Protein backbone atom coordinates (compact mmCIF):
# COMPACT_ATOMS: atom_id res chain seq x y z
CA UNK A 1 0.00 0.00 0.00
CA UNK A 2 1.46 3.32 -1.09
CA UNK A 3 1.75 5.73 1.82
CA UNK A 4 1.22 9.50 1.86
CA UNK A 5 1.28 12.06 4.62
CA UNK A 6 -2.00 13.68 3.56
CA UNK A 7 -4.80 12.39 1.34
CA UNK A 8 -7.44 14.85 0.13
CA UNK A 9 -10.76 13.49 -1.15
CA UNK A 10 -12.07 15.89 -3.80
CA UNK A 11 -10.40 18.24 -6.27
CA UNK A 12 -12.46 21.41 -5.87
CA UNK A 13 -11.21 24.73 -4.43
CA UNK A 14 -11.32 23.41 -0.85
CA UNK A 15 -9.42 20.21 -1.61
CA UNK A 16 -6.83 21.84 -3.86
CA UNK A 17 -6.24 24.64 -1.34
CA UNK A 18 -5.70 22.05 1.38
CA UNK A 19 -3.29 20.17 -0.89
CA UNK A 20 -1.27 23.27 -1.72
CA UNK A 21 -0.89 24.34 1.91
CA UNK A 22 0.03 20.82 3.05
CA UNK A 23 2.57 20.37 0.25
CA UNK A 24 4.16 23.75 0.99
CA UNK A 25 4.69 22.54 4.54
CA UNK A 26 6.66 19.57 3.20
CA UNK A 27 3.94 16.91 3.26
CA UNK A 28 3.71 14.13 0.67
CA UNK A 29 0.22 14.92 -0.56
CA UNK A 30 -2.28 13.37 -2.98
CA UNK A 31 -5.68 14.57 -4.22
CA UNK A 32 -8.17 11.91 -5.32
CA UNK A 33 -10.72 13.28 -7.79
CA UNK A 34 -13.66 11.33 -9.24
CA UNK A 35 -13.80 13.43 -12.43
CA UNK A 36 -11.60 13.17 -15.51
CA UNK A 37 -9.67 16.08 -14.00
CA UNK A 38 -10.43 18.69 -11.31
CA UNK A 39 -13.27 20.90 -12.50
CA UNK A 40 -15.26 18.45 -14.60
CA UNK A 41 -17.62 17.58 -11.74
CA UNK A 42 -17.62 20.97 -10.02
CA UNK A 43 -20.39 23.55 -10.38
CA UNK A 44 -20.91 27.00 -8.88
CA UNK A 45 -22.54 30.19 -10.07
CA UNK A 46 -19.18 31.49 -11.16
CA UNK A 47 -17.86 34.29 -8.90
CA UNK A 48 -14.38 33.97 -7.40
CA UNK A 49 -13.26 36.39 -4.68
CA UNK A 50 -9.75 37.81 -4.76
CA UNK A 51 -8.81 38.03 -1.09
CA UNK A 52 -9.25 34.34 -0.28
CA UNK A 53 -7.81 33.11 -3.58
CA UNK A 54 -4.68 35.22 -3.20
CA UNK A 55 -3.97 33.51 0.12
CA UNK A 56 -3.62 30.27 -1.86
CA UNK A 57 -1.85 31.60 -4.97
CA UNK A 58 -0.45 35.15 -4.59
CA UNK A 59 -1.25 37.43 -7.54
CA UNK A 60 -3.17 34.59 -9.18
CA UNK A 61 -4.94 37.05 -11.50
CA UNK A 62 -1.77 37.49 -13.54
CA UNK A 63 -2.00 33.98 -15.00
CA UNK A 64 -5.22 32.25 -13.89
CA UNK A 65 -7.93 31.62 -16.55
CA UNK A 66 -10.37 34.24 -15.30
CA UNK A 67 -13.33 35.61 -17.24
CA UNK A 68 -14.11 39.20 -16.21
CA UNK A 69 -13.43 41.37 -13.12
CA UNK A 70 -16.79 42.25 -11.59
CA UNK A 71 -17.30 46.02 -11.49
CA UNK A 72 -21.07 46.04 -11.07
CA UNK A 73 -23.46 44.03 -8.90
CA UNK A 74 -27.22 44.23 -9.33
CA UNK A 75 -29.93 42.93 -7.03
CA UNK A 76 -33.48 42.63 -8.28
CA UNK A 77 -36.93 41.48 -7.21
CA UNK A 78 -39.19 39.96 -9.86
CA UNK A 79 -42.97 40.05 -9.64
CA UNK A 80 -44.60 38.77 -12.80
CA UNK A 81 -43.09 40.78 -15.64
CA UNK A 82 -42.10 43.61 -13.30
CA UNK A 83 -38.61 44.25 -11.93
CA UNK A 84 -37.42 46.38 -9.01
CA UNK A 85 -33.63 46.56 -8.79
CA UNK A 86 -30.67 48.21 -7.07
CA UNK A 87 -27.17 48.51 -8.52
CA UNK A 88 -23.68 49.22 -7.23
CA UNK A 89 -20.87 49.93 -9.70
CA UNK A 90 -17.20 50.66 -9.00
CA UNK A 91 -14.95 50.87 -12.09
CA UNK A 92 -11.92 50.71 -9.76
CA UNK A 93 -12.75 47.02 -9.28
CA UNK A 94 -11.50 46.48 -12.84
CA UNK A 95 -7.93 47.06 -11.64
CA UNK A 96 -5.71 45.18 -9.17
CA UNK A 97 -6.21 44.16 -6.43
CA UNK A 98 -9.78 43.54 -7.74
CA UNK A 99 -12.71 42.38 -5.63
CA UNK A 100 -13.95 39.39 -7.62
CA UNK A 101 -13.89 37.74 -11.04
CA UNK A 102 -16.32 35.58 -12.90
CA UNK A 103 -14.85 32.17 -13.71
CA UNK A 104 -15.71 28.93 -15.44
CA UNK A 105 -14.90 26.09 -13.07
CA UNK A 106 -13.65 23.65 -15.69
CA UNK A 107 -10.89 26.09 -16.63
CA UNK A 108 -10.11 27.52 -13.21
CA UNK A 109 -10.07 24.28 -11.21
CA UNK A 110 -7.80 22.66 -13.76
CA UNK A 111 -5.41 25.61 -13.46
CA UNK A 112 -5.52 25.46 -9.66
CA UNK A 113 -4.72 21.74 -9.86
CA UNK A 114 -1.67 22.61 -11.97
CA UNK A 115 -0.51 24.97 -9.21
CA UNK A 116 -0.89 22.11 -6.74
CA UNK A 117 1.19 19.83 -8.95
CA UNK A 118 3.92 22.49 -9.08
CA UNK A 119 4.03 22.31 -5.28
CA UNK A 120 4.58 18.55 -5.48
CA UNK A 121 0.97 17.34 -5.10
CA UNK A 122 -0.06 14.14 -6.89
CA UNK A 123 -3.49 14.21 -8.57
CA UNK A 124 -5.29 10.90 -9.09
CA UNK A 125 -8.34 11.46 -11.35
CA UNK A 126 -11.23 9.16 -12.31
CA UNK A 127 -11.12 7.52 -8.90
CA UNK A 128 -13.86 7.19 -6.30
CA UNK A 129 -13.03 6.95 -2.61
CA UNK A 130 -15.33 4.34 -1.06
CA UNK A 131 -14.37 4.55 2.60
CA UNK A 132 -11.71 5.35 5.13
CA UNK A 133 -9.25 2.67 6.24
CA UNK A 134 -8.82 1.96 9.93
CA UNK A 135 -6.36 0.17 12.16
CA UNK A 136 -8.34 -0.48 15.31
CA UNK A 137 -10.04 2.94 15.63
CA UNK A 138 -7.24 4.90 13.99
CA UNK A 139 -7.67 6.27 10.45
CA UNK A 140 -4.76 5.05 8.34
CA UNK A 141 -5.84 5.86 4.77
CA UNK A 142 -8.60 5.44 2.19
CA UNK A 143 -10.08 2.65 0.08
CA UNK A 144 -10.76 3.47 -3.57
CA UNK A 145 -12.77 1.69 -6.22
CA UNK A 146 -9.65 0.64 -8.10
CA UNK A 147 -8.09 -2.82 -7.81
CA UNK A 148 -5.44 -2.71 -5.10
CA UNK A 149 -6.55 0.87 -4.58
CA UNK A 150 -5.87 1.24 -0.86
CA UNK A 151 -3.73 4.28 -0.02
CA UNK A 152 -2.22 4.99 3.38
CA UNK A 153 -2.04 8.37 5.09
CA UNK A 154 -1.47 10.04 8.43
CA UNK A 155 -4.32 12.52 7.82
CA UNK A 156 -7.31 12.50 5.45
CA UNK A 157 -9.07 15.74 4.47
CA UNK A 158 -12.62 15.35 3.17
CA UNK A 159 -13.49 17.86 0.44
CA UNK A 160 -16.05 15.69 -1.35
CA UNK A 161 -18.69 18.40 -1.82
CA UNK A 162 -22.32 18.40 -0.73
CA UNK A 163 -22.60 14.65 -1.36
CA UNK A 164 -20.71 13.86 1.83
CA UNK A 165 -20.82 10.07 1.75
CA UNK A 166 -17.42 9.48 3.37
CA UNK A 167 -18.11 12.05 6.08
CA UNK A 168 -21.34 10.19 6.83
CA UNK A 169 -19.56 6.83 6.99
CA UNK A 170 -16.97 8.34 9.31
CA UNK A 171 -19.73 9.40 11.70
CA UNK A 172 -19.02 13.09 11.19
CA UNK A 173 -22.09 14.15 9.21
CA UNK A 174 -25.74 13.08 9.28
CA UNK A 175 -27.55 11.94 6.16
CA UNK A 176 -28.48 14.83 3.88
CA UNK A 177 -32.10 15.95 4.08
CA UNK A 178 -34.05 18.05 1.53
CA UNK A 179 -34.22 21.04 3.88
CA UNK A 180 -30.42 21.30 4.01
CA UNK A 181 -29.52 21.28 0.33
CA UNK A 182 -30.47 23.32 -2.72
CA UNK A 183 -30.73 22.14 -6.29
CA UNK A 184 -28.81 24.44 -8.63
CA UNK A 185 -29.10 24.43 -12.42
CA UNK A 186 -27.06 26.53 -14.80
CA UNK A 187 -26.60 27.14 -18.50
CA UNK A 188 -23.58 28.61 -20.26
CA UNK A 189 -24.98 30.73 -23.08
CA UNK A 190 -22.53 31.87 -25.77
CA UNK A 191 -22.71 35.52 -26.84
CA UNK A 192 -20.21 37.78 -28.62
CA UNK A 193 -18.15 39.95 -26.29
CA UNK A 194 -19.41 43.21 -27.78
CA UNK A 195 -23.04 42.21 -27.23
CA UNK A 196 -22.38 41.36 -23.59
CA UNK A 197 -20.67 44.69 -23.02
CA UNK A 198 -23.42 46.60 -24.82
CA UNK A 199 -26.29 44.91 -22.95
CA UNK A 200 -24.65 45.32 -19.53
CA UNK A 201 -23.18 48.81 -20.24
CA UNK A 202 -19.61 47.59 -19.68
CA UNK A 203 -16.25 48.70 -20.96
CA UNK A 204 -14.25 45.99 -22.79
CA UNK A 205 -13.20 43.26 -20.39
CA UNK A 206 -15.37 44.43 -17.49
CA UNK A 207 -17.96 42.17 -15.85
CA UNK A 208 -21.27 42.37 -13.99
CA UNK A 209 -23.47 40.11 -11.91
CA UNK A 210 -27.22 40.06 -11.36
CA UNK A 211 -28.99 38.33 -8.46
CA UNK A 212 -32.78 37.96 -8.65
CA UNK A 213 -35.28 37.05 -5.93
CA UNK A 214 -39.01 36.52 -5.62
CA UNK A 215 -40.76 35.33 -8.76
CA UNK A 216 -37.39 34.38 -10.29
CA UNK A 217 -37.71 31.11 -8.35
CA UNK A 218 -41.54 30.99 -8.35
CA UNK A 219 -41.56 32.40 -4.83
CA UNK A 220 -39.47 29.57 -3.41
CA UNK A 221 -36.48 30.12 -1.15
CA UNK A 222 -33.63 30.60 -3.57
CA UNK A 223 -31.92 32.90 -6.04
CA UNK A 224 -31.53 33.28 -9.78
CA UNK A 225 -28.42 34.79 -11.33
CA UNK A 226 -26.80 36.09 -14.50
CA UNK A 227 -23.00 36.46 -14.63
CA UNK A 228 -20.97 37.82 -17.53
CA UNK A 229 -18.05 35.79 -18.88
CA UNK A 230 -15.70 36.75 -21.72
CA UNK A 231 -17.92 35.45 -24.50
CA UNK A 232 -20.80 33.83 -22.64
CA UNK A 233 -23.31 34.31 -19.85
CA UNK A 234 -23.77 32.04 -16.85
CA UNK A 235 -27.53 31.88 -16.25
CA UNK A 236 -28.97 29.77 -13.46
CA UNK A 237 -30.86 29.44 -10.23
CA UNK A 238 -30.88 27.48 -7.00
CA UNK A 239 -33.85 26.54 -4.80
CA UNK A 240 -34.22 24.50 -1.65
CA UNK A 241 -34.81 20.86 -2.50
CA UNK A 242 -37.61 20.55 0.07
CA UNK A 243 -39.60 23.37 -1.51
CA UNK A 244 -38.89 22.25 -5.05
CA UNK A 245 -40.18 18.76 -4.27
CA UNK A 246 -43.37 20.17 -2.76
CA UNK A 247 -43.95 22.43 -5.79
CA UNK A 248 -43.99 19.49 -8.25
CA UNK A 249 -41.81 21.58 -10.57
CA UNK A 250 -38.49 20.46 -12.03
CA UNK A 251 -35.31 22.55 -12.01
CA UNK A 252 -35.55 22.79 -15.79
CA UNK A 253 -39.13 24.09 -15.52
CA UNK A 254 -37.86 26.94 -13.35
CA UNK A 255 -34.92 27.68 -15.65
CA UNK A 256 -37.09 27.83 -18.78
CA UNK A 257 -39.57 30.03 -16.92
CA UNK A 258 -36.71 32.38 -15.98
CA UNK A 259 -35.42 32.51 -19.56
CA UNK A 260 -38.88 33.53 -20.78
CA UNK A 261 -39.04 36.56 -18.46
CA UNK A 262 -38.87 39.77 -20.56
CA UNK A 263 -35.88 41.13 -18.63
CA UNK A 264 -33.84 37.94 -18.97
CA UNK A 265 -35.05 37.19 -22.48
CA UNK A 266 -33.56 40.46 -23.71
CA UNK A 267 -30.20 39.80 -22.03
CA UNK A 268 -29.76 36.34 -23.56
CA UNK A 269 -31.36 37.10 -26.96
CA UNK A 270 -29.40 35.51 -29.81
CA UNK A 271 -27.32 33.38 -27.44
CA UNK A 272 -26.62 29.69 -27.90
CA UNK A 273 -26.66 27.27 -24.97
CA UNK A 274 -23.31 25.48 -24.82
CA UNK A 275 -23.53 23.69 -21.46
CA UNK A 276 -26.20 22.60 -18.98
CA UNK A 277 -25.12 21.79 -15.45
CA UNK A 278 -26.89 20.67 -12.28
CA UNK A 279 -25.56 20.30 -8.76
CA UNK A 280 -26.50 20.02 -5.09
CA UNK A 281 -25.45 22.93 -2.89
CA UNK A 282 -25.24 22.83 0.92
CA UNK A 283 -27.64 25.42 2.31
CA UNK A 284 -28.13 24.23 5.86
CA UNK A 285 -26.03 27.07 7.25
CA UNK A 286 -24.47 27.20 10.69
CA UNK A 287 -26.96 24.82 12.30
CA UNK A 288 -26.10 22.11 9.75
CA UNK A 289 -22.31 22.25 10.16
CA UNK A 290 -21.21 18.67 10.90
CA UNK A 291 -18.49 17.66 13.31
CA UNK A 292 -15.41 19.03 11.59
CA UNK A 293 -12.82 16.52 12.79
CA UNK A 294 -11.99 13.22 14.39
CA UNK A 295 -8.73 11.38 14.79
CA UNK A 296 -6.81 11.75 11.53
CA UNK A 297 -9.69 13.40 9.62
CA UNK A 298 -10.89 16.94 8.86
CA UNK A 299 -13.89 18.21 6.86
CA UNK A 300 -13.69 21.31 4.63
CA UNK A 301 -15.65 23.34 2.07
CA UNK A 302 -19.10 22.23 0.96
CA UNK A 303 -18.74 18.99 2.91
CA UNK A 304 -18.61 21.14 6.04
CA UNK A 305 -21.67 23.17 4.91
CA UNK A 306 -19.45 26.23 4.49
CA UNK A 307 -21.68 28.21 2.10
CA UNK A 308 -23.08 31.68 2.78
CA UNK A 309 -26.01 31.82 0.39
CA UNK A 310 -27.18 35.26 1.51
CA UNK A 311 -23.91 36.79 0.30
CA UNK A 312 -23.35 34.40 -2.63
CA UNK A 313 -20.13 33.15 -1.05
CA UNK A 314 -18.82 29.61 -1.23
CA UNK A 315 -15.48 29.40 -3.01
CA UNK A 316 -13.78 31.78 -0.58
CA UNK A 317 -15.07 29.86 2.43
CA UNK A 318 -13.90 26.63 0.79
CA UNK A 319 -10.40 27.92 0.11
CA UNK A 320 -9.81 29.37 3.56
CA UNK A 321 -11.08 26.24 5.32
CA UNK A 322 -8.95 24.06 3.02
CA UNK A 323 -5.84 26.17 3.62
CA UNK A 324 -6.27 25.93 7.39
CA UNK A 325 -6.87 22.16 7.26
CA UNK A 326 -3.70 21.62 5.21
CA UNK A 327 -1.66 23.64 7.70
CA UNK A 328 -3.12 21.81 10.71
CA UNK A 329 -2.47 18.44 9.04
CA UNK A 330 1.18 19.32 8.46
CA UNK A 331 1.61 20.58 12.01
CA UNK A 332 0.05 17.44 13.49
CA UNK A 333 2.15 15.08 11.38
CA UNK A 334 5.37 16.89 12.21
CA UNK A 335 4.56 16.67 15.92
CA UNK A 336 3.69 12.97 15.61
CA UNK A 337 0.21 13.56 17.00
CA UNK A 338 -2.82 13.07 14.72
CA UNK A 339 -5.23 12.45 17.56
CA UNK A 340 -8.71 13.94 17.71
CA UNK A 341 -7.40 16.62 20.03
CA UNK A 342 -4.72 17.57 17.49
CA UNK A 343 -7.35 17.78 14.74
CA UNK A 344 -9.53 20.01 16.93
CA UNK A 345 -7.07 22.84 16.27
CA UNK A 346 -8.64 23.05 12.81
CA UNK A 347 -12.13 23.67 14.22
CA UNK A 348 -10.76 26.31 16.58
CA UNK A 349 -8.87 28.14 13.85
CA UNK A 350 -11.67 28.10 11.29
CA UNK A 351 -14.14 29.29 13.95
CA UNK A 352 -11.96 32.35 14.46
CA UNK A 353 -12.35 33.38 10.79
CA UNK A 354 -15.21 34.96 8.84
CA UNK A 355 -16.10 31.47 7.57
CA UNK A 356 -17.90 30.34 10.73
CA UNK A 357 -18.54 33.77 12.20
CA UNK A 358 -20.65 34.88 9.21
CA UNK A 359 -22.56 31.61 9.15
CA UNK A 360 -23.28 32.03 12.86
CA UNK A 361 -24.59 35.56 12.34
CA UNK A 362 -27.06 34.27 9.72
CA UNK A 363 -27.90 31.04 11.51
CA UNK A 364 -31.65 31.82 11.68
CA UNK A 365 -32.16 33.13 8.13
CA UNK A 366 -33.13 29.92 6.36
CA UNK A 367 -35.61 28.89 9.01
CA UNK A 368 -37.14 32.37 9.05
CA UNK A 369 -37.80 32.45 5.29
CA UNK A 370 -39.02 28.86 5.21
CA UNK A 371 -41.55 29.68 7.94
CA UNK A 372 -42.53 32.97 6.25
CA UNK A 373 -42.91 32.15 2.54
CA UNK A 374 -44.88 35.37 1.96
CA UNK A 375 -41.58 37.28 2.01
CA UNK A 376 -40.76 35.88 -1.43
CA UNK A 377 -44.34 35.82 -2.72
CA UNK A 378 -46.39 38.69 -1.28
CA UNK A 379 -43.71 41.30 -0.65
CA UNK A 380 -42.38 41.28 -4.23
CA UNK A 381 -45.93 42.12 -5.34
CA UNK A 382 -46.17 44.92 -2.77
CA UNK A 383 -42.83 46.41 -3.79
CA UNK A 384 -43.60 46.21 -7.54
CA UNK A 385 -47.08 47.69 -7.08
CA UNK A 386 -45.67 50.50 -4.96
CA UNK A 387 -43.00 51.39 -7.53
CA UNK A 388 -45.49 51.32 -10.39
CA UNK A 389 -47.91 53.60 -8.55
CA UNK A 390 -45.14 55.94 -7.39
CA UNK A 391 -43.73 56.47 -10.88
CA UNK A 392 -47.10 56.75 -12.63
CA UNK A 393 -47.99 60.37 -13.50
CA UNK A 394 -51.75 60.46 -14.13
CA UNK A 395 -52.94 63.62 -12.42
CA UNK A 396 -53.42 62.07 -8.98
CA UNK A 397 -51.95 64.35 -6.27
CA UNK A 398 -48.81 62.84 -4.70
CA UNK A 399 -50.28 62.91 -1.20
CA UNK A 400 -53.26 60.91 -2.46
CA UNK A 401 -50.95 58.57 -4.39
CA UNK A 402 -48.98 57.79 -1.22
CA UNK A 403 -52.23 56.93 0.54
CA UNK A 404 -53.09 54.57 -2.34
CA UNK A 405 -49.69 52.92 -2.04
CA UNK A 406 -50.14 52.37 1.69
CA UNK A 407 -53.70 51.10 1.30
CA UNK A 408 -52.62 48.67 -1.41
CA UNK A 409 -49.80 47.35 0.77
CA UNK A 410 -52.06 46.90 3.80
CA UNK A 411 -54.65 45.16 1.66
CA UNK A 412 -52.09 42.50 0.80
CA UNK A 413 -50.51 42.39 4.26
CA UNK A 414 -52.03 43.98 7.36
CA UNK A 415 -50.22 46.66 9.39
CA UNK A 416 -49.79 44.27 12.28
CA UNK A 417 -48.42 41.54 10.03
CA UNK A 418 -45.94 43.91 8.41
CA UNK A 419 -44.67 45.07 11.79
CA UNK A 420 -44.41 41.45 12.94
CA UNK A 421 -42.52 40.55 9.74
CA UNK A 422 -40.05 43.42 10.16
CA UNK A 423 -39.40 42.47 13.77
CA UNK A 424 -38.97 38.81 12.82
CA UNK A 425 -36.52 39.69 10.02
CA UNK A 426 -34.55 41.91 12.41
CA UNK A 427 -34.31 39.11 14.95
CA UNK A 428 -33.24 36.60 12.29
CA UNK A 429 -30.40 38.89 11.24
CA UNK A 430 -29.40 39.86 14.77
Amino acid sequence: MEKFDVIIVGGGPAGLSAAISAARAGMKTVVIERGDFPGTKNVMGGVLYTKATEEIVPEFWKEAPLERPVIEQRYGILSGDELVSATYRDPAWAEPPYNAHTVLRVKFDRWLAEQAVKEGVMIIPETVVEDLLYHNDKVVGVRTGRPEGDLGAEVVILAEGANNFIAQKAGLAPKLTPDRVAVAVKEIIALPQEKIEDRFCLEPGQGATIELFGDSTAGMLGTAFVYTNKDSLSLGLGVMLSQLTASKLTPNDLLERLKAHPYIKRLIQGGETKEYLAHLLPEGGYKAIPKLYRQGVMVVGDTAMFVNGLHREGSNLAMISGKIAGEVAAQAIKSGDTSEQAMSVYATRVSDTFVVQDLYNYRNINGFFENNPHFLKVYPEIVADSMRMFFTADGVPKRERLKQIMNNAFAKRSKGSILKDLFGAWRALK
Side-chain angles (χ1 to χ4, degrees), residues 342-415:
M343 297 295 98
S344 72
V345 174
Y346 162 67
T348 300
R349 285 186 57 186
V350 79
S351 294
D352 288 337
T353 69
F354 74 95
V355 174
V356 173
Q357 291 178 13
D358 286 350
L359 292 177
Y360 178 79
N361 288 338
Y362 297 133
R363 64 194 181 279
N364 297 317
I365 286 293
N366 279 4
F368 176 76
F369 282 113
E370 287 179 1
N371 294 326
N372 296 275
H374 52 273
F375 265 87
L376 296 174
K377 294 181 179 179
V378 178
Y379 279 105
E381 293 179 9
I382 292 175
V383 172
D385 289 347
S386 299
M387 291 297 99
R388 183 178 64 255
M389 296 169 71
F390 182 83
F391 289 115
T392 298
D394 56 1
V396 176
K398 301 307 178 188
R399 184 180 295 275
E400 180 63 27
R401 179 49 47 84
L402 289 175
K403 288 182 180 179
Q404 293 175 355
I405 291 172
M406 298 299 290
N407 289 337
N408 177 72
F410 295 144
K412 294 179 182 294
R413 194 76 179 157
S414 70
K415 292 181 182 179

Side-chain angles (χ1 to χ4, degrees), residues 30-42:
V30 63
V31 173
I32 303 176
E33 164 60 33
R34 63 191 178 95
D36 296 341
F37 54 85
T40 55
K41 298 291 185 181
N42 300 334

